[in-house]
Amino acid sequence: MANDVTENSAALSWERSAPGVWTTCFAEPEAQTPLRHLLRANQSKNANDVRPEPPAVLDGVACHAGPRGVLVRLPCAVDEDFYGLGLQFHSLRQTGRKKTLRVNSDPSCDLGDSHAPVPFFVSTAGYGIHFDTARKASFYFGRQEQDPNAGSGSLNDSEETLYSLRAEGARHVEVEIPLARGITLTIFEGPTVLDAVARYNRFSGGGCLPPLWGLGVWYRGHLEWSHEEASAMLEQFRASGIPCDVIGLEPGWQTAAYSCSYRWNPARFPNPGAFIAGMADRNAHINLWEHGFVHPTSPVHENLLALSADTRVWGGLVPDFTIPRARECFARFHAGEHIGIGVSGYKLDECDGSDFTPSPWSFPDHAQFPGGCDGEQMHALFGSLYQDVLEQPFVERNTRTFGLVRSSHSFSAPRPYVLYSDYYDHRAYVRALASSGFCGLLWTPEVREASSRGDLLRRLQTVVFSPLAGINAWYIPNPPWLQLDRKKNQRGEIDPAASEIEHACREILRLRMRFLPYFYAAFARYHFDGIPPFRAVVMDYPDDPQTRAIDDCYLVGDSFLVAPLFQDDTSRCVYLPQGTWHDFWTGDGLEGGREHTITSPQEQLPLFVKSGSLLPLAAPVEYVSDSLVFKLEPRRYGNPVQPTRLFVDDGLTFDYRRGRFAWQDLTWDKTNDVFQLSETPAGFAPRYALRNHSLPLWT
């Protein structure tokens, strides 16, 4: 492509498409894009929140169409940093990097491969920009021409001169979209990183609001479970006080998997309706594993033959979910066979694809779909379309769902699915928690196994402070706290120290249940305001240079910072942003704007609460029933403290979308040193109540 794109670029005409949102269409954009297939109803707010003039960054955007595709160039400042591009395991700050966005289930290198690559990034200059493409776009962040006066380019130049990345001069971002002949760009105003992200999420349709039970503890059982084994495991949890809201069934519940029949296996589940009803009586929800490749014995196979790709995966059809008839056929069967008898949601596996495994699977990029996509485009769109298809039956029943998925793309904030991965690096999992918040994604660092007691506890601590608290024991018959060694677990050998480890894990899971009122309110803000409930520290503190590279800590809601530990570690360094922070466990005050060395026993996760916060902790419960009333045991940190708002709705339906919701205020009366809870809003059953006693009131 030409290096100086401005010479070959048509003038860009920007239009305000929503408050603080600007769009331009350059040349001839492709037909199969995220804006066409993935964008839901815009939920932008504050109609008066517009500037009289477009943001300055619009003037610097240039586009060029050439033989390789489209090239977009944006200027950037020397001190400007960039974040986003979807779920990224290996880097948080993208400044100075090249990333090529490719859907891939094995993101082993920092090249841009991801379960959920999203062509959207945000800048510390106070804007975000979305590139409407399903292609494998390449992003060059802060590329810089070397100063011609810095060296002669001879062998006598120093290594620092030859390879300098910080030469003086103009810097820019370049984005190359292959095969395309045009592109639609959408810019989201700040003025801060968090504002730009929130505006993008509202434009996408607002963040998802899970059913209240979805925020409890999830346990996925062995792939060969029968209804007796699933019921027995739930009874084991109830008897031992292990919290559990969701039981997940893995591939063996079907008559065929890889590819899928979506039919109950009568040898293991002879009466699925009675099984689900029995689990519901014990306040457990059922989540089903599946993937989107349709086995020849499936009842929907015949009707989807003409509505699928020209290639198969694991012998199964690949439905084209851009076609309404394909969506309706697939959704109608699931509604009758599963959802109609009480299934609460799905785990949508392998909707991404693998390029680096010994036997690469999924459809090739050259695949053709009857709706017009090629395989490259469908890889980007398939996971999100799949989520939409299986959410629709729940919407029609006015019942919320929450599930797991292996791939997403643009505008995913409203979709009630949490990303997960077979990749199992704990540090990368924490980095993914921070990176996911930039692009309207949710991520869970699920627990499957552990190398030691400390590794198990540290992983479990991270997962309880994530969007979905999941233990995925699909290849072990016993919970990991009963036997860490995978082979011994599979042989049924219980660890002699199991009781001690189980106790420690139980307390960690109970901590999750204590935070449910706080999490639920944070998700409500995600829905209404677009504020990610789990996010990188830099999103709230972009003006503090020390926060820009922090990828081993993250924020949860507005009040606290999580600093995970790894393996058997009991200490680490933590940088706390400006202000005063408090140790969650002791209440000790810590000065912000500096680094602290923290020591923490294996049983405790380092948590730091912003001074002035009032945490609405609750007495832990083993499950979330429809009529649950949280018994609040608040803690305050600092003096004075700000009131806390608790979200009130039925916790189950979409009635909140029609205005049936309210907020309840929790405050601290400084004069009498007591907490106060406002009255339950009229028309709602009680959801929160203050206990007669409370935990220590840290000051």
Side-chain angles (χ1 to χ4, degrees), residues 374-566:
D374 62 27
E376 178 185 359
Q377 295 167 316
M378 187 57 80
H379 272 301
L381 303 174
F382 190 74
S384 297
L385 292 170
Y386 192 8
Q387 295 170 58
D388 291 344
V389 169
L390 289 189
E391 184 190 4
Q392 188 57 36
F394 290 98
V395 173
E396 292 171 357
R397 285 167 169 75
N398 194 27
T399 301
R400 279 183 259 170
T401 184
F402 204 40
L404 291 148
V405 70
R406 268 269 288 271
S407 184
S408 284
H409 202 262
S410 304
F411 312 124
S412 283
R415 293 178 172 86
Y417 285 86
V418 182
L419 290 154
Y420 68 99
S421 175
D422 283 344
Y423 187 65
Y424 204 56
D425 183 289
H426 189 185
R427 292 179 185 273
Y429 272 15
V430 171
R431 189 177 297 114
L433 261 172
S435 75
S436 62
F438 289 110
C439 296
L441 302 172
L442 299 174
W443 160 255
T444 175
E446 63 176 22
V447 177
R448 294 199 301 275
E449 60 183 60
S451 60
S452 65
R453 176 185 187 274
D455 186 34
L456 175 62
L457 299 184
R458 294 309 188 195
R459 286 180 179 275
L460 200 59
Q461 289 162 1
T462 301
V463 85
V464 300
F465 283 97
S466 80
L468 191 151
I471 298 101
N472 186 8
W474 72 269
Y475 50 60
I476 50 177
N478 297 294
W481 47 80
L482 297 186
Q483 177 56 260
L484 294 173
D485 185 282
R486 179 174 177 175
K487 291 183 178 179
K488 291 182 179 179
N489 194 311
Q490 291 171 339
R491 292 196 299 264
E493 299 178 23
I494 304 302
D495 192 319
S499 178
E500 175 191 348
I501 301 174
E502 181 182 64
H503 173 77
C505 291
R506 181 190 301 111
E507 292 307 305
I508 294 170
L509 296 174
R510 283 164 60 87
L511 183 63
R512 168 75 176 198
M513 306 307 284
R514 290 172 62 193
F515 270 89
L516 289 192
Y518 181 87
F519 290 152
Y520 199 48
F523 268 99
R525 284 200 67 198
Y526 186 37
H527 174 72
F528 292 107
D529 300 330
I531 304 296
F534 299 83
R535 56 189 185 267
V537 179
V538 69
M539 290 184 72
D540 288 48
Y541 301 93
D543 296 331
D544 183 345
Q546 298 301 313
T547 69
R548 293 195 175 188
I550 294 177
D551 63 359
D552 60 355
C553 298
Y554 55 96
L555 300 172
V556 181
D558 296 331
S559 294
F560 70 98
L561 180 148
V562 180
L565 283 160
F566 307 96

Side-chain angles (χ1 to χ4, degrees), residues 104-142:
N104 184 33
S105 69
D106 308 289
S108 56
C109 298
D110 193 20
L111 301 176
D113 296 271
S114 171
H115 300 285
V118 180
F120 171 78
F121 68 79
V122 288
S123 164
T124 53
Y127 69 89
I129 180 168
H130 179 264
F131 299 76
D132 187 34
T133 181
R135 297 292 181 192
K136 297 175 183 177
S138 292
F139 291 73
Y140 301 80
F141 286 103

Side-chain angles (χ1 to χ4, degrees), residues 245-268:
D245 274 281
V246 180
I247 291 291
L249 303 182
E250 289 293 299
W253 71 268
Q254 297 184 58
T255 56
Y258 291 91
S259 50
C260 289
S261 70
Y262 317 109
R263 302 182 71 177
W264 291 92
N265 184 337
R268 292 177 179 163

Side-chain angles (χ1 to χ4, degrees), residues 66 90 137 164 204 210 251 318 329 336 355 398 465 471 524 554 566 569 597 609:
H90 300 286
S164 173
S204 302
V318 186
C329 173
D355 288 337
N398 194 27
F465 283 97
I471 298 101
Y554 55 96
F566 307 96
D569 293 347
T597 299
V609 187

